[in-house]
Amino acid sequence: MIDRVFWDIDETLIHTEMRPFGEGYNDVEFKLDGSSYYTKIRPCSSELVAFSRGLVGADNVYILTTATRDYAREINRIASWNFEHDHIFSREDLHEHRYSTAYGGSTTARNKKVGSANNVIIDNLPSRDNW
């Protein structure tokens, strides 16, 4: 039984370069923090995300990426995958999750959603590299 599906974005659902791909490609160009990004969104990416949502429920499908939060959110917007912000785990979120405690404090804890043995990550990397 699968609890959650995590999609990697770079090289799985999209391909991004820091320079234009060239003539004849349907590139999406965007700027972030003063840099230009040229992105190809895989034609089937929206269907794959929708299929996984149908399989385990929309509340159990996430983006999990080593990219920055701002980059992941911008790709999500451009690709129209419609992930809520709390369904995007970026490099800032991967190892520890900071949350508010009573009386205005905060603490960190390992993210339980990411750590389940019944989760599936869909990524281009060999499984030995997906730790």
Side-chain angles (χ1 to χ4, degrees), residues 34-94:
S35 297
S36 293
Y37 295 86
Y38 301 88
T39 300
K40 292 181 189 180
I41 300 167
R42 297 203 189 273
C44 61
S45 67
S46 292
E47 289 84 1
L48 289 169
V49 169
F51 176 79
S52 60
R53 287 175 172 154
L55 189 64
V56 297
D59 287 341
N60 297 312
V61 179
Y62 300 83
I63 289 174
L64 180 65
T65 181
T66 58
T68 64
R69 181 178 294 128
D70 290 343
Y71 173 85
R73 287 178 177 177
E74 185 63 7
I75 292 294
N76 177 54
R77 185 190 68 75
I78 290 169
S80 300
W81 296 323
N82 302 315
F83 283 94
E84 297 292 329
H85 285 181
D86 66 345
H87 279 68
I88 301 174
F89 290 94
S90 61
R91 83 169 50 150
E92 294 92 342
D93 304 309
L94 288 180

Side-chain angles (χ1 to χ4, degrees), residues 2 5 10 13 15-16 30 32 34 38-39 50 53 72 79-80 86 90 92 105 112 119 122-123 126-127 130:
I2 298 172
V5 174
D10 284 310
L13 295 176
H15 178 70
T16 296
F30 66 97
L32 189 64
Y38 301 88
T39 300
R53 287 175 172 154
S80 300
D86 66 345
S90 61
E92 294 92 342
K112 292 181 178 147
N119 291 342
I122 301 172
D123 193 353
S127 59
N130 280 325

Side-chain angles (χ1 to χ4, degrees), residues 115-127:
S116 170
N118 294 326
N119 291 342
V120 172
I121 183 169
I122 301 172
D123 193 353
N124 66 306
L125 293 175
S127 59

Side-chain angles (χ1 to χ4, degrees), residues 11-26:
E11 306 308 324
T12 304
L13 295 176
I14 63 163
H15 178 70
T16 296
E17 295 273 339
M18 300 296 286
R19 56 184 158 60
F21 292 109
E23 293 291 323
Y25 288 101
N26 293 324

